């Protein structure tokens, strides 16, 4: 007799036996970065051709200490760099540039933070009007704006005439061709960058935090210094870096508002290259100015990121 087969047990075994997955044919990984690289090629070529190569050429010129800029007669050393540190005129010019840039940052921060805070607490319609007022000066050439301040700051200009008419001063103040005039011009030119940087940080603050502080009994003054100001530190740092960097490299405003009385580094570099034709020394001064700006920004940013307010940068 044929043995009785257990069809039920066979069916269970077939169901529980592991099914081997079908092997998919290996397909070559598509290089997804190629289209992105092709899209970036025009801007990369532009940056390389109009920024990287000129900067490398200026660096090359800064190490030549002779009038011959090439060939076998050129002498390569660091004389152009050591000349700055051995001459008090250039050291004072570098310090003057840093000082005026810091003053411009403080004035822009003092004037810009209230405007940014007003924008953050306003309705969308009012915010749009304020943004238009802030951005509209950027549509006008900085030369035109500087000439406007030039007329206002003259000894017989509007500001001095108004102060004398009110009896506040007896003689005109020296506002033009002075450090004060340069600080006014730079602060006016770069104030929008400070405001927009701070307001972008204020937009990211959760409004419920201020309401929670009010519920707990904190005054508006304490809520501002305990909640709003610390959380807006990243925007303040960004605005200060922008204004400081732009002020350090500004030429038009110091040349028009300060003239020869305020010899900041960009003006000195322009004179060395265009007027005195000292290309090599002017190139060295350019890189010293660049290094001073980069080091100052790095130290400033590092101090905030590792200091008391390091939590808000995470």
């Amino acid at each position: 007799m044929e043995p009785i087969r257990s069809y039920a047990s066979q069916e269970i075994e077939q169901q529980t036996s592991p099914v081997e997955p079908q092997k998919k044919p290996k397909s070559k990984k598509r290089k997804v970065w190629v289209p992105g690289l092709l899209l970036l090629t025009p801007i990369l070529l532009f940056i390389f051709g109009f920024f990287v190569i000129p900067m490398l050429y200026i660096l090359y010129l800064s190490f030549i200490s002779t009038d011959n800029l090439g060939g076998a007669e050129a002498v390569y050393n660091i004389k152009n760099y050591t000349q700055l540190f051995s001459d008090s005129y250039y050291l004072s010019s570098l310090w003057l540039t840093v000082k005026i840039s810091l003053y411009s940052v403080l004035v822009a921060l003092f004037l810009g933070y209230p405007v940014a805070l007003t924008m953050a607490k306003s309705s969308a319609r009012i915010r749009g009007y304020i943004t238009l007022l802030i951005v509209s000066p950027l549509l006008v050439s900085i030369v035109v704006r500087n000439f406007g301040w030039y007329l206002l700051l003259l000894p017989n200009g509007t500001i001095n005439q108004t102060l004398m008419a009110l009896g506040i001063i007896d003689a005109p103040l020296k506002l033009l061709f002075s450090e004060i005039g340069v600080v006014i011009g730079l602060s006016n030119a770069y104030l929008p960058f400070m405001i927009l940087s701070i307001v972008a940080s204020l937009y990211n603050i959760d409004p419920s935090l201020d309401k929670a502080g009010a519920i707990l009994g904190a005054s508006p003054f304490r809520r501002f210094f305990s909640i709003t100001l610390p959380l807006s530190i990243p925007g303040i740092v960004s605005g200060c870096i922008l204004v400081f960097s732009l002020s350090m490299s500004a030429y038009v405003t110091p040349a028009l508002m300060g003239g020869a009385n305020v010899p900041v580094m960009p003006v000195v570099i322009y004179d060395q290259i265009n007027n005195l034709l000292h290309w090599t020394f002017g190139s060295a001064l350019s890189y010293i100015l660049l290094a001073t700006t980069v080091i100052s920004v790095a130290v400033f940013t590092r101090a905030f990121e590792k200091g008391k307010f390091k939590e808000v940068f995470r």
Side-chain angles (χ1 to χ4, degrees):
M1 292 180 64
E2 251 183 53
I4 299 173
R5 297 179 180 177
S6 178
Y7 294 103
S9 61
Q10 274 187 349
E11 192 173 336
I12 292 172
E13 288 179 1
Q14 289 178 1
Q15 289 178 358
T16 56
S17 61
V19 179
E20 294 184 0
Q22 295 181 356
K23 294 182 179 180
K24 295 182 179 180
K26 293 183 179 180
S27 58
K28 295 182 178 179
K29 292 183 178 180
R30 298 179 63 184
K31 296 180 179 180
V32 295
W33 54 269
V34 174
L37 182 61
L38 293 176
L39 292 174
L40 291 175
T41 298
I43 188 63
L44 291 176
L45 291 176
F46 181 84
I47 293 174
F48 188 79
F50 292 93
F51 179 75
V52 176
I53 292 179
M55 290 298 292
L56 292 176
Y57 181 66
I58 292 174
L59 181 63
Y60 161 75
L61 291 179
S62 66
F63 288 101
I64 300 177
S65 60
T66 56
D67 293 334
N68 190 359
L69 301 183
E73 298 180 4
V75 178
Y76 301 92
N77 51 40
I78 59 172
K79 180 181 177 182
N80 292 321
Y81 291 94
T82 58
Q83 182 180 348
L84 179 139
F85 297 101
S86 61
D87 195 328
S88 60
Y89 173 77
Y90 299 110
L91 287 176
S92 61
S93 176
L94 182 60
W95 166 243
L96 180 63
T97 308
V98 175
K99 182 175 67 172
I100 288 178
S101 299
L102 291 176
Y103 286 157
S104 302
V105 168
L106 293 177
V107 173
L109 179 60
F110 179 76
L111 297 177
Y113 198 97
V115 178
L117 190 61
T118 303
M119 289 180 62
K121 294 185 178 297
S122 300
S123 62
R125 184 176 181 182
I126 301 299
R127 191 182 303 165
Y129 291 143
I130 298 176
T131 304
L132 179 62
L133 292 175
I134 293 170
V135 177
S136 57
L138 299 177
L139 303 177
V140 182
S141 172
I142 192 171
V143 178
V144 177
R145 283 183 282 164
N146 285 332
F147 272 116
W149 279 109
Y150 187 93
L151 298 175
L152 291 174
L153 301 178
L154 281 172
N156 58 347
T158 305
I159 295 178
N160 278 314
Q161 291 294 327
T162 303
L163 294 176
M164 292 177 67
L166 295 174
I168 299 176
I169 58 175
D170 298 328
L173 299 175
K174 188 179 180 182
L175 301 176
L176 197 61
F177 302 124
S178 63
E179 295 181 19
I180 297 176
V182 176
V183 171
I184 291 174
L186 291 175
S187 304
N188 170 73
Y190 304 130
L191 181 60
F193 298 100
M194 178 68 77
I195 296 174
L196 295 177
S197 298
I198 295 175
V199 78
S201 183
L202 291 174
Y203 287 158
N204 294 326
I205 299 177
D206 190 352
S208 62
L209 296 175
D210 189 70
K211 294 179 181 178
I215 293 172
L216 293 174
S219 63
F221 185 81
R222 186 172 182 181
R223 294 201 305 271
F224 172 76
F225 283 99
S226 300
I227 299 173
T228 306
L229 183 61
L231 293 179
S232 63
I233 290 294
I236 294 175
V237 172
S238 300
C240 292
I241 290 174
L242 280 173
V243 175
F244 180 80
S245 303
L246 293 171
S247 300
M248 286 286 289
S249 60
Y251 168 76
V252 176
T253 300
L256 291 176
M257 309 292 288
N261 295 334
V262 188
V264 294
M265 283 297 286
V267 176
V268 173
I269 293 170
Y270 179 86
D271 290 338
Q272 289 290 329
I273 293 177
N274 282 2
N275 297 334
L276 301 178
L277 300 180
H278 294 165
W279 285 56
T280 57
F281 184 56
S283 301
L285 292 180
S286 301
Y287 265 90
I288 290 174
L289 178 63
L290 176 62
T292 304
T293 305
V294 172
I295 293 173
S296 301
V297 169
V299 171
F300 177 76
T301 307
R302 190 72 174 177
F304 272 92
E305 290 181 348
K306 296 298 181 180
K308 180 180 178 181
F309 302 101
K310 61 182 180 181
E311 295 295 331
V312 299
F313 287 92
R314 293 184 177 180

